[in-house]
Amino acid sequence: MMHSTQSILIRHVLLLITLLFSVAALAQKPVKPNASDILQSIKKLNVLGSVLYVAAHPDDENQRFISYCSNEKLYNVSYLSLTRGDGGQNLIGPELRELLGVLRTEELLMARSVDGGKQYFSRANDFGFSKNPDETLQIWDKDAVLSDVVWTIRKTQPDVIVNRFFHDKKYETHGHHTASAMLSVEAFDLAAKTDAYPAQFEYVKPWQPKRQFFNTSWWFYGGRDAFDKMDKSKLFSADLGVYLPLKGKSNTEVAAEARSMHRCQGFGSIGERGESVDWFDFIKGERPKTNDLFEGINTTWTRVEGGAKIGKLLGKVEKQFNPNNPAASVPDLIKAMQMIKTLPDSYWKVVKLAEIKQVIKSCLGLYLEATASEPSAAPGDMVTIRVEAINRSNIPVALSALQYVHLNKDTVLALNLVNNKAFKLEKKIKLPENAPFTGPYWLQQGFNEGMYTVPEQVLRGLPETPRFLSVRWSITIAGEAIEYDSDVAYKIEEPAIGEIWRPFEVLPAAFVEFDQPSYLFTNNSRDIGVRFKANRENLRGYVSLTAPDGWTVTPSEVPVQFKNKGEEKTLFFTVTTAGSINAGRINALVRVDNQDFSLKMVPIKYDHIPQQSVLLPANARAARTDISVKAKNIGYYMGAGDDVPNALRQMGCNVTLLEDKDFEQKNLKKFDAIVLGIRAYNTKEALIQHQTKLMEYTEQGGTLIVQYNNNFDLFVEKVAPFPMKLARTRVTDERSEVRFLLPEHPVLNTPNKLTAADFNNWVQERGLYFASEWDAKFAAPISCNDPGEKAADGALLIAPYGKGQYVYTSLSFFRELPAGVPGAYRLFANMLSLGNK
């Protein structure tokens, strides 16, 4: 079973909410600031300004503006992305839907770790491309998402809100984009109203921002030339290309580094230098009297009652800062912290106390580390925690105690941390039996097409689930007690790289996972493989399956026994279909120590983000259908990454994953068909050399199937043997009617006779980046369109070329086949079989 969020976790989250920080933890690796970083943070202590940037997806944000606010203006700047980008595509791996949302969340956090912003989300699920905000707000729960925008405004108390998109339908853009701006504009006033979402006031207070802008650009005006010529007298501007001396980079160079963290979307950027002007259209609030977006906003300590003296003292700290001896600033920083503590409770009191604690730590060269002896453990298991503390200054620092948060374990010390002498300690602790599993909180309660379920108010908006296991350090500096928290992490030494960190995770004692995301039954029975993995030593248990009513599973359960943690084994069950039920889900269950688990663990591992373990229900879609395929030997050349090859194997095809060395004609001619993965012409530069060989293969009698490509950044200008133009046309309604324009065409009849029913139960969309123009030699056998739009006939184009067949398809097979959609399998089988009559 999956643990519900425990009260101990909620208390931990409440602490984080109180601190009002939401930043990338960088896999819990301790930060090691240099003197320039420290001086920057001291300067920031004396600035009390807050900005909120609002958009719809990861990579929508303007990193130049976020970095400018954070690093030039020294404001607290946050980015609210209404979704986690779950509905997009992935250029670097196979993760889609909720797994893609986790990946893109981590990429956003890494971007914020570069540009200095903080990150928040709403509960909105990115259900895929939407053509208008009305559709978006019907699928999302508008009131729930609006409440999340209000919640973020009240938490971050922005003086200025900036929307990436315009709040009116006059600009043709993604429906999510316009909806994000519409909700932001509505929330601008609601956040100050005491009768709007009053349950939030248990944790936050009403807040009225000063003003709101739309971050406009040439894109909204038909091109750069048109924008250059237009009257901008009513717009506001800011040069975001400023030089940041303490970073040794221009602001735009920092922004490019942040933008380049969005790798799964292919947004790597080259840093630029020099003037870079952005434009802002005033929406509501107090209109500035000058060109300054922040004109008239008090961002000094005088905005806080009793704060003037604090600002004066911090100005002295900045002026006297010695980069060769940062610790010399500590006595005055301690005085400033004591003064902040005496202030009346307020947002800025909480924020600046948290900031100044970190500045003091940095000035001392105080390094605090907490690591575990292994990367994960199950509730109830023993874990060895190693801690290290070192003070690299002549300022007296005392370590009085260590507290293992949530474990009721303390270590009392009376230790002076002598300059540059490390203190190290190991302690074995037992995780509580009710310790919550590590994993994305928004996936733990189930979700639907438009919304994630997050019952706990304090969790809403956080980028990650707060870590359960942490160490609290009780430190005394110049008689002042300060506490620091360190999330427990796991680190190893990699000979080729060096130190590698990853989060420590609390995971189930056992995982169970199907060997395929979906199963196609072409006969009444088939064997299904289930992988069982132990996450505890000396583990015994039983694995069983449940299938749709009327289906049978043999055997009913299988005993398992493992000695070592990490061992795994594949078990096989025979599932037999029966009755009128042709589709459903099969669930896997493992019983260990009288506990039932039905969870699979999916690791997400890339070198630019902390490794993540995502727990998902252990189930698979199963469908029974009649299917035949005449092409048996398939070559598959991966593009951006997808699971289509595994689906083709379920059809009974032999699939070879082609490498660049395989593109010799003698190697290619053995294949009945060759399939190019999604966005191959956008991601595989080697196709420049391979294209001629692929055309020769087709001309000599092969079948070449090219799946969808973006219509820009193509490595090969002519992706087809005859003229064809790709566009941005897409059909987003997966229920839209598919019409047969050429009902006698072989692709609709051989070897599987297709009907309208084969287009039932598709997921997310029909297709994307349809062709808009094509040569008369192409046949376009199907047509579809979203409601209210004209017919789009470029989803599937087929042309004979020499003795072979060329197929270009924009249908989203990369989503439909892993989802087990029977009709998608039958159509793809017909495409493969075109040259094997």
Side-chain angles (χ1 to χ4, degrees), residues 596-618:
D596 291 340
F597 300 102
S598 184
L599 295 170
K600 66 178 179 180
M601 190 275 285
V602 183
I604 300 179
K605 186 176 181 181
Y606 294 96
D607 62 5
H608 67 299
I609 64 168
Q611 182 170 333
Q612 305 293 307
S613 295
V614 183
L615 298 175
L616 296 174

Side-chain angles (χ1 to χ4, degrees), residues 241 255 400 459 550 696 706:
S400 57
L459 282 174
E696 290 175 358
V706 178

